[in-house]
Amino acid sequence: MSSPSVSVSEELSQRNRLPTLLEVLGRRTLAPTDLFSFYIYMRDQQRSVDYLDFWLDVSQHMSLCRHYVRELRRSMLLETPELEKAPSKRTSEALDNFRMDGDSPPTSEKLESQDRAVSDYLRSQNGSGKNEKAGHNNHSPRGSLGSRHSEIKAASLDRPRPSFKNSDDTQTNSNSPGHTVARADIRASAEKILYTFVLPGSEREIVLPELILNRIIHAIEEEGRDDPEVFNDAKEYVFQAMERDAFPGFLQAKALGNLVPLSVLLRLGLGLACLFAGLWGGYYMILTNKSRATRCWLIIPYLLGSHLLVAYQYKMDVFMAFFSYSEYTFMNWSKIREPYVRKLIMKRAWMAFVLFHVVALLLLVLFIFVPGTNF
């Protein structure tokens, strides 16, 4: 299991750019541009964490399906070495297309191929069990929609959020022999997504185009499908929405600064107060004809005020940046571990450091050399 982690570390060391949204969602980045930081940003600043939760839950559903098919294929290979002699040739072909590649890191083409194979197999299972299900379900699936919605909503209240474990390690407490994931778990996962995010009036409803919305409802409620391709269009739509509306602001906040909005506003207020105190003190010393040596004490409010105002402008605490720390919630800091972001933050920190010292020195010189007056 070492080669995937090696490839990620090599990618981090070689990547001389900001990460993409796909890399963040794929857990191939480090703080402060990791998935945890993006989740906090979507929750606290964008106020649209439901979209990210939907994307994560659909990805978790895909991992659940992969795990189920992987275990089923392994058990079939042990019990029936010659898969071509199995009763369903379509099922055998679908399972044969799902290869277990060991520790080799999956490429996007490989994952797409596996996802199609998983969906084909699950659809074939739905097709084979459709007649059996229809035998004891004589009413429309929508007849139980209200009760199922209540069950899923109650079950989702105990779900921990966010879950940032590797989605490939997904397991459930299934009692099915020889499998860690039962077929009913996949159906329950699909229904939970439907009743939590998709249905109008649901607990955490997200806005989807009507065509995509109706297609998902029809596929799950009418056709009885639960394969991952049911959510493909919605997942892509949500991804593009996050990439367009949320991710640029996330990069600006985390890769170009290290403060959250509340800290930025706090520094603005304190900076204006310090600058006002320094200006008031400077005019007082001029009007009372204080010596130039005494006026040098004005450097303290000027430094504080200019430092805080530059921090507001750059959305960055210079000294915390020098120690490679970034604020993810108010007064909670984490180490900056993304190499390119750390380099970018350090460069901007030095620019801000020089700027606020120059401003403070200019103000000090101005008030030192202005001649004093006496009343």
Side-chain angles (χ1 to χ4, degrees):
M1 297 294 292
S2 59
S3 67
S5 61
V6 171
S7 64
V8 171
S9 62
E10 290 177 353
E11 179 185 350
L12 288 172
S13 61
Q14 296 173 2
R15 186 168 60 208
N16 194 32
R17 56 169 176 79
L18 293 175
T20 64
L21 177 58
L22 192 60
E23 290 169 339
V24 172
L25 295 176
R27 300 173 175 85
R28 303 185 68 84
T29 57
L30 300 175
T33 54
D34 58 339
L35 181 56
F36 176 77
S37 300
F38 186 54
Y39 191 95
I40 297 297
Y41 175 82
M42 291 289 287
R43 185 194 67 186
D44 295 346
Q45 299 185 40
Q46 285 293 117
R47 307 291 182 183
S48 55
V49 73
D50 290 344
Y51 289 86
L52 179 56
D53 272 337
F54 170 79
W55 198 97
L56 292 173
D57 280 2
V58 172
S59 298
Q60 191 81 354
H61 179 69
M62 181 69 249
S63 298
L64 196 71
C65 296
R66 286 199 200 108
H67 191 75
Y68 171 75
V69 175
R70 184 184 296 118
E71 291 295 321
L72 187 62
R73 182 178 187 275
R74 183 181 292 114
S75 65
M76 290 185 68
L77 286 174
L78 292 175
E79 297 170 8
T80 312
E82 298 180 0
L83 281 177
E84 63 273 9
K85 295 180 182 179
S88 172
K89 184 173 178 60
R90 183 180 178 186
T91 300
S92 301
E93 292 174 352
L95 288 174
D96 280 338
N97 288 333
F98 188 82
R99 301 292 182 185
M100 294 177 292
D101 295 315
D103 292 338
S104 61
T107 62
S108 58
E109 294 81 4
K110 187 186 300 181
L111 285 176
E112 289 178 5
S113 176
Q114 288 186 357
D115 293 350
R116 283 194 298 269
V118 168
S119 295
D120 290 342
Y121 173 70
L122 293 176
R123 279 199 300 272
S124 70
Q125 274 199 331
N126 286 335
S128 63
K130 204 169 186 180
N131 295 332
E132 180 183 345
K133 183 179 179 181
H136 54 271
N137 284 338
N138 296 323
H139 62 281
S140 169
R142 291 192 179 259
S144 61
L145 185 137
S147 60
R148 287 292 296 149
H149 190 181
S150 301
E151 293 174 9
I152 296 295
K153 182 175 180 179
S156 65
L157 293 178
D158 298 330
R159 179 183 58 178
R161 265 295 175 212
S163 176
F164 298 111
K165 294 181 180 180
N166 193 328
S167 57
D168 288 336
D169 296 333
T170 304
Q171 293 186 352
T172 63
N173 295 326
S174 171
N175 294 323
S176 63
H179 302 286
T180 55
V181 178
R183 187 66 177 83
D185 297 329
I186 297 177
R187 179 67 186 177
S189 174
E191 288 180 342
K192 180 181 289 187
I193 296 172
L194 174 68
Y195 297 136
T196 303
F197 299 102
V198 179
L199 284 179
S202 56
E203 178 188 2
R204 304 174 64 186
E205 180 186 358
I206 61 175
V207 178
L208 293 173
E210 187 175 359
L211 179 63
I212 297 178
L213 177 67
N214 292 334
R215 191 180 299 162
I216 294 175
I217 295 175
H218 178 78
I220 296 179
E221 291 294 332
E222 303 294 342
E223 299 179 4
R225 290 176 57 187
D226 51 18
D227 57 279
E229 287 188 357
V230 170
F231 301 106
N232 273 0
D233 292 339
K235 185 180 179 183
E236 181 63 24
Y237 176 84
V238 167
F239 179 86
Q240 291 179 3
M242 291 191 298
E243 189 175 41
R244 180 185 64 250
D245 299 331
F247 194 62
F250 170 71
L251 287 182
Q252 185 175 12
K254 297 301 180 181
L256 300 180
N258 65 351
L259 295 175
V260 297
L262 182 58
S263 294
V264 172
L265 291 177
L266 182 62
R267 280 162 173 77
L268 173 62
L270 292 176
L272 290 175
C274 290
L275 192 60
F276 175 79
L279 293 175
W280 182 88
Y283 282 116
Y284 174 78
M285 290 184 180
I286 290 173
L287 294 175
T288 56
N289 198 20
K290 299 294 182 180
S291 65
R292 291 178 176 176
T294 304
R295 297 185 198 181
C296 288
W297 288 103
L298 293 172
I299 192 64
I300 296 176
Y302 291 158
L303 274 176
L304 287 174
S306 59
H307 164 63
L308 293 170
L309 291 179
V310 168
Y312 164 78
Q313 182 66 30
Y314 278 73
K315 295 180 175 56
M316 174 188 296
D317 186 288
V318 172
F319 298 104
M320 295 304 291
F322 285 155
F323 289 101
S324 295
Y325 278 97
S326 179
E327 191 178 33
Y328 59 93
T329 58
F330 183 65
M331 298 302 292
N332 291 309
W333 301 84
S334 63
K335 196 77 173 176
I336 300 176
R337 302 187 183 279
E338 184 74 19
Y340 183 74
V341 172
R342 183 167 57 239
K343 182 168 61 176
L344 200 60
I345 289 283
M346 193 64 66
K347 184 184 299 184
R348 286 173 54 83
W350 277 111
M351 292 173 56
F353 182 80
V354 171
L355 178 60
F356 84 74
H357 276 87
V358 168
V359 171
L361 287 175
L362 288 176
L363 288 173
L364 181 64
V365 168
L366 176 65
F367 280 91
I368 281 181
F369 289 100
V370 172
T373 60
N374 282 318
F375 287 105

